[in-house]
Amino acid sequence: MRPSALLLLALAAGACARPVLYYPEPLGAPAPAPATPAATTTQAPVATQEGVAASSASASAAGMAELRTRHIILPVADVSGPIDDSFDAERDDGERTHHAIDILAPRGTPILSADDGRVLRMSSNTLGGITMYTIDPDGQLVYYYAHMDHYNPEMSAGRSIVKGDTLGFVGTTGNAPPNTPHLHFQVMRMPADGKYWQGEPINPFTLLVEARMARDSVMAARTEAAHNH
Ligand SMILES: [Zn+2]
């Protein structure tokens, strides 16, 4: 195939890129240890090693239960339209699963911390663009925010945060389509090995929808109160 044809193919593939993505792999993060057969076995018999060999299903349920106790808030100050559950969506022609929720919002909309805790890392990469990792106060849940237009200049790694703090602003950095600003929001359990960017993903979709309904009802109540004055 001629080089020009290859280039055209590459351009066509880029143009077809869906509004998202990938697993976050921060630049400069320590290289993962080589996988061992034990680590790659997905159907390890339950209870061969007490406390270790839980099925992935029960691990997911435990992660979800943990996340539910955090009462996360909607991590954007404004939303464009409905929030879709894109957690199980395929990415890169089925090479990957999204394992995150994309929340469409106007460019420049404040990105709000979904939970209390602290900032783990602020860095840029080709897929996620301008990104931030944060962790909950118990050190059990990791949150990943990607495609930021820019950070809140008040933020820095290690800083303590509370729900609703502005982390940054919605944009299209990384591989987000230029005309589809959105927040790529991902939740993971902190793994035992401390490699927070590789933790087991948790689907926050249901909790985000609940958080949005809660916020909307508060806003409606405020509007009504203002009218009655
Ligand atoms: Zn995404």
Side-chain angles (χ1 to χ4, degrees):
M1 192 177 293
R2 288 173 297 125
S4 59
L6 285 172
L7 178 63
L8 280 174
L9 273 179
L11 286 173
C16 292
R18 297 167 65 181
V20 251
L21 341 203
Y22 55 89
Y23 289 106
E25 289 177 26
L27 295 175
T36 63
T40 55
T41 300
T42 55
Q43 293 182 328
V46 174
T48 50
Q49 282 180 282
E50 192 174 341
V52 175
S55 74
S56 63
S58 67
S60 296
M64 188 62 201
E66 177 109 42
L67 181 59
R68 190 169 278 283
T69 66
R70 298 304 312 160
H71 301 289
I72 59 170
I73 67 162
L74 191 66
V76 285
D78 191 13
V79 183
S80 318
I83 301 172
D84 292 329
D85 185 357
S86 53
F87 187 81
D88 293 318
E90 291 185 353
R91 291 292 185 262
D92 296 341
D93 292 329
E95 291 291 306
R96 283 189 288 239
T97 305
H98 188 220
H99 285 157
I101 302 296
D102 292 331
I103 307 173
L104 275 60
R107 186 182 301 278
T109 300
I111 295 168
L112 311 177
S113 181
D115 197 353
D116 302 333
R118 65 185 171 85
V119 177
L120 268 183
R121 183 185 175 91
M122 297 164 65
S123 63
S124 294
N125 64 71
T126 52
L127 295 174
I130 297 174
T131 74
M132 187 185 291
Y133 286 90
T134 70
I135 189 165
D136 82 304
D138 298 329
Q140 299 298 309
L141 297 168
V142 175
Y143 303 93
Y144 178 69
Y145 304 79
H147 304 316
M148 291 187 183
D149 187 80
H150 59 284
Y151 293 119
N152 175 355
E154 299 295 315
M155 288 297 143
S156 58
R159 185 194 156 118
S160 291
I161 49 176
V162 297
K163 286 174 191 171
D165 276 354
T166 298
L167 305 178
F169 300 88
V170 171
T172 54
T173 55
N175 69 346
N179 56 355
T180 310
H182 67 278
L183 171 67
H184 171 96
F185 179 67
Q186 185 158 9
V187 185
M188 293 160 282
R189 295 187 94 186
M190 175 61 109
D193 63 7
K195 293 175 182 171
Y196 56 87
W197 62 98
Q198 294 181 327
E200 180 205 0
I202 302 168
N203 187 353
F205 173 72
T206 308
L207 301 179
L208 291 174
V209 170
E210 289 175 11
R212 184 182 191 182
M213 286 167 55
R215 196 195 63 169
D216 287 352
S217 64
V218 168
M219 302 281 256
R222 281 185 191 157
T223 303
E224 191 172 338
H227 279 303
N228 292 339
H229 275 284

